[in-house]
């Protein structure tokens, strides 16, 4: 369909790489993209255009546009859905601004090759996230449910308008019908008969003001949280991230709210104001006055007709070690998340090497081994592995999720394998192709990634080394996530954890 059409850059790259793969090493990909942009649009904006094309290609690699669903990205965890929308919206704005700077004779080509795919995909991402939020807000009883329903309709109409512009206006209608193929409303692999907007919901809000409260990390709302008391994800000195709650209206009349913290170390912004629809309130800690150890405070949110909601605010502020004393990736919020390229050490035997593939994967890049046609290796001193320095505060049985590029079973037997270990434990071998079911294949294709899990016992808190062993060639590692007991569901996995670099004079380095 139109979204999957091979644009000029992708066609050129496909042909050039097929003709002479050795001429296009992975580290040369950014230069190749810039050279293409310069050839098509001149040197002045080549760098910016190359960045835009690389970004939207990676964004679409997260999940193909026709495979998007209202719940693809988490609406409540790690700010995932809103971050995806914001990133694509910013990219579309950047592309539009660049379009307006180009000479008129270059604009049709830029619209076809750059601006349209960016704007169309940004619109589709926002459409599905908006529908997802609409459905969630309907359950929470938010008046803004109806606003989101109308916003979804606007985005559906915008998609149609972009297609008409491509078909009928671009180059005087030269590409008429190119964007006719349906792309919205897939329910299985085959295309729908027509673009069909995902269903939205509307509610009947009360006439008077009616306060509701939602919190980060939960789809519940209060009052009426199903018997559960609301608690924010912990404020953690080793993560440093603020948390949020949302004060919203279940009625049509605006109201005044206020948030009263139980302790002076709890910071709230804004602590009071007027709510017509929704107001996000940020909660953070003043670490200079926060108590050490595990503690908690609370917030009392007050609204109309004497309504009140109390939200617990957990705190993690260990007396020792302090953040400045730590090295490596630091556990926080119940997990450690690591981008593959951010290894502490990369080890390879003579004749082999690790290769970073820039822009590969859903979040940053990929790490793979060379040469590809190479015998398998066993874990051990003569093996090939990546090391990641980690500091744990927790102990117990942890799971390690390895995010890998989808790979065909290119050798007989169980297929390709890797191994994972902590410190000097016996590496646990994982077969990438152990599950040969159709359901596993369909999920891998839809997600654009293979996520496999191993479990490990970490008996002591403190510094540890996570090792990823490459046993068979052709595997591409994108990300590692260690669940220490608090990992929440998301599509892309949690954002990368805080990394504390080695001090001057210490041997370890991040790269």
């Amino acid at each position: 369909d139109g979204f999957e059409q091979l644009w000029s850059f992708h066609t050129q790259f496909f042909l050039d790489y097929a003709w002479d793969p050795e001429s296009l090493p992975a580290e040369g990909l950014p230069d190749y993209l810039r050279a293409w942009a310069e050839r098509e649009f001149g040197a002045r904006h080549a760098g910016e255009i190359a960045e835009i094309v690389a970004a939207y290609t990676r964004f679409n690699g997260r999940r193909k546009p026709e495979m998007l669903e209202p719940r693809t990205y988490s609406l409540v965890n790690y700010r995932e859905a809103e971050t995806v929308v914001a990133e694509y919206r910013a990219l579309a704005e950047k592309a539009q601004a660049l379009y307006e700077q180009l000479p008129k004779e270059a604009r049709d080509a830029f619209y076809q090759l750059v601006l349209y795919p960016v704007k169309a995909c940004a619109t589709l991402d926002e459409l599905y996230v908006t529908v997802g939020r609409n459905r969630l807000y309907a359950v929470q009883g938010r008046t803004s449910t109806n606003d989101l329903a109308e916003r979804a309709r606007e985005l559906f109409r915008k998609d149609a308008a972009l297609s008409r512009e491509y078909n009928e206006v671009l180059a005087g209608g030269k590409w008429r019908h190119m964007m006719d193929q349906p792309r919205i409303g897939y329910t299985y692999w085959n295309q729908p008969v027509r673009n069909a907007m995902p269903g939205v919901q509307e509610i009947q809000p009360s006439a008077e003001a009616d306060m509701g409260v939602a919190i980060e990390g939960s789809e519940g709302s209060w009052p009426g949280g199903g018997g559960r008391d609301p608690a924010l994800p912990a404020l953690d000195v080793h993560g440093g991230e603020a948390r949020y709650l949302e004060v919203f209206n279940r009625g049509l009349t605006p109201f005044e709210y206020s948030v009263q913290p139980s302790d002076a170390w709890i910071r709230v912004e804004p602590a009071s104001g007027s709510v017509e629809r929704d107001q996000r309130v940020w909660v953070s800690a003043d670490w200079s006055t926060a108590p050490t150890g595990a503690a908690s405070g609370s917030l009392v949110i007050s609204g109309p007709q004497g309504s009140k909601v109390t939200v617990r605010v957990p705190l993690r502020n260990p007396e020792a070690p302090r953040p400045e004393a730590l090295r490596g990736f630091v556990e926080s919020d119940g997990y450690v998340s690591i981008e593959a390229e951010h290894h502490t050490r990369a080890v390879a035997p003579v004749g082999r090497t690790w290769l970073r593939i820039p822009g590969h994967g859903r979040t940053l890049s990929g790490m793979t081994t060379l040469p590809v046609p190479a015998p398998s290796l066993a874990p051990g001193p003569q093996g090939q592995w990546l090391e990641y320095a980690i500091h744990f505060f927790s102990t117990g049985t942890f799971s390690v999720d390895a995010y890998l590029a989808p790979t065909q079973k290119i050798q007989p037997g169980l297929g390709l394998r890797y191994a994972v270990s902590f410190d000097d434990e016996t590496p646990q071998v994982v077969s990438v192709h152990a599950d040969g079911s159709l359901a596993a294949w369909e999920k891998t294709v839809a997600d654009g990634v293979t996520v496999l899990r191993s479990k490990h016992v970490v008996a002591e808190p403190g510094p540890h080394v996570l090792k990823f062993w490459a046993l068979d060639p052709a595997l591409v590692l994108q990300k590692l996530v260690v669940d220490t007991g608090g990992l929440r569901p998301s599509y892309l996995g949690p954002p990368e954890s805080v990394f504390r670099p080695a001090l001057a004079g210490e041997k370890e380095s991040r790269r």
Side-chain angles (χ1 to χ4, degrees):
D1 61 35
F3 282 113
E4 290 301 301
Q5 175 180 319
L6 288 173
W7 308 101
S8 176
F9 162 70
H10 302 88
T11 303
Q12 188 68 55
F13 174 79
F14 173 81
L15 295 173
D16 288 347
Y17 193 75
W19 182 258
D20 185 8
E22 298 300 325
S23 68
L24 290 172
E27 60 271 16
L29 295 180
D31 292 335
Y32 178 90
L33 179 51
R34 193 187 188 287
W36 169 84
E38 183 172 345
R39 185 194 72 189
E40 297 294 336
F41 302 104
R44 181 181 177 187
H45 299 292
E48 294 173 273
I49 293 171
E51 290 175 359
I52 292 171
V53 173
Y56 91 73
T57 301
R58 181 166 59 84
F59 290 169
N60 283 357
R62 292 168 172 167
R63 193 172 184 89
K64 293 179 175 62
E66 68 271 19
M67 297 297 295
L68 288 169
E69 298 172 310
R71 290 278 184 162
T72 294
Y73 299 110
S74 176
L75 301 168
V76 297
N77 292 326
Y78 309 121
R79 300 167 206 163
E80 183 175 68
E82 63 189 71
T83 299
V84 167
V85 169
E87 287 177 340
Y88 232 141
R89 183 182 295 157
L91 191 68
E93 291 171 354
K94 182 178 180 180
Q96 181 65 44
L98 191 53
Y99 172 83
E100 293 168 2
Q101 296 177 45
L102 293 174
K104 289 185 178 180
E105 61 270 18
R107 290 182 179 179
D108 280 354
F110 184 81
Y111 185 91
Q112 179 193 3
L113 302 175
V114 182
L115 184 58
Y116 173 80
V118 172
K119 292 178 71 173
C121 293
T123 299
L124 201 58
D125 269 52
E126 185 175 354
L127 168 63
Y128 277 106
V129 169
T130 300
V131 171
R133 290 174 60 213
N134 162 265
R135 296 176 184 179
L136 172 62
Y137 285 13
V139 175
Q140 295 176 340
R142 301 197 195 200
T143 303
S144 54
T145 299
N146 299 343
D147 301 329
L148 290 174
E150 181 54 35
R151 175 60 180 163
R153 297 184 187 104
E154 290 176 0
L155 291 164
F156 186 71
R157 293 191 291 266
K158 180 179 179 180
D159 172 83
L162 287 168
S163 294
R164 284 195 299 272
E165 185 172 5
Y166 195 106
N167 286 333
E168 301 171 13
V169 178
L170 175 64
K174 177 180 180 180
W175 302 106
R176 190 176 301 274
H177 300 302
M178 182 64 74
M179 291 300 148
D180 281 358
Q181 186 171 359
R183 56 194 168 271
I184 304 175
Y186 278 71
T187 57
Y188 63 111
W189 291 105
N190 293 340
Q191 70 180 46
V193 176
R194 291 285 185 271
N195 286 325
M197 194 185 94
V200 294
Q201 299 186 29
E202 294 189 359
I203 66 169
Q204 296 177 343
S206 62
E208 64 276 8
D210 186 2
M211 184 184 76
V213 175
I215 61 173
E216 180 179 354
S218 172
E219 295 189 2
S221 61
W222 291 265
R228 294 178 295 111
D229 294 329
L232 288 171
L235 297 173
D236 192 333
V237 70
H238 294 289
E241 193 172 46
R243 303 302 185 182
Y244 70 85
L245 58 87
E246 290 177 334
V247 182
F248 60 85
N249 202 342
R250 289 169 168 161
L252 295 173
T253 303
F255 64 84
E256 299 296 314
Y257 80 92
S258 65
V259 182
Q260 182 61 48
S262 61
D263 300 272
W265 57 264
I266 303 177
R267 293 175 172 174
V268 179
E269 179 62 36
S272 62
S274 179
V275 175
E276 180 177 1
R277 290 290 193 267
D278 306 271
Q279 174 64 56
R280 179 165 290 190
V281 177
W282 292 98
V283 182
S284 59
D286 179 356
W287 297 111
S288 66
T289 60
T292 57
S296 67
S298 62
L299 302 169
V300 176
I301 302 100
S302 301
Q305 290 87 49
S307 59
K308 294 182 184 296
V309 172
T310 300
V311 176
R312 189 166 64 88
V313 183
L315 178 77
R316 289 190 71 255
N317 187 24
E319 186 173 352
R322 301 306 294 169
E324 61 274 10
L326 300 179
R327 301 292 172 264
F329 289 95
V330 180
E331 177 193 358
S332 178
D333 200 16
Y335 71 86
V336 178
S337 180
I338 304 169
E339 294 292 347
E341 73 168 63
H342 293 156
H343 47 79
T344 308
R345 194 161 73 110
V347 179
V350 175
R352 303 199 185 199
T353 187
W354 284 98
L355 173 69
R356 171 183 171 269
I357 308 174
H360 178 87
R362 306 192 306 174
T363 51
L364 183 62
S365 60
M367 293 293 298
T368 191
T369 59
L370 291 178
V372 173
S376 299
L377 292 172
Q382 305 306 313
Q384 187 166 0
W385 71 92
L386 298 170
E387 291 185 2
Y388 301 89
I390 297 176
H391 190 100
F392 288 123
F393 297 97
S394 305
T395 61
T397 300
F398 299 162
S399 65
V400 178
D401 291 340
Y403 290 62
L404 303 160
T407 305
Q408 295 290 342
K409 185 178 177 181
I410 60 174
Q411 65 183 30
L414 292 176
L416 305 181
R417 304 159 303 142
Y418 69 89
V420 175
S421 63
F422 280 103
D423 306 319
D424 296 324
E425 74 169 327
T426 300
Q428 184 178 149
V429 177
V430 181
S431 175
V432 175
H433 300 101
D435 186 349
S437 67
L438 177 61
W441 177 85
E442 287 183 337
K443 179 171 176 55
T444 293
V445 172
D447 293 350
V449 70
T450 299
V451 182
L452 297 170
R453 174 167 290 187
S454 57
K455 290 186 177 293
H456 308 263
V457 175
V458 175
E460 298 290 339
H464 294 269
V465 176
L466 171 60
K467 298 179 182 178
F468 177 89
W469 302 82
L471 306 186
D472 294 314
L475 290 178
V476 183
L477 176 67
Q478 299 174 2
K479 185 172 185 170
L480 292 165
V481 177
V482 185
D483 181 3
T484 63
L487 185 66
R488 302 191 298 276
S490 64
Y491 181 70
L492 299 174
E496 190 169 33
S497 299
V498 169
F499 179 84
R500 304 288 182 188
L503 297 175
E506 294 183 345
K507 293 182 178 181
E508 290 185 345
S509 64
R510 180 167 177 169
R511 309 286 174 143

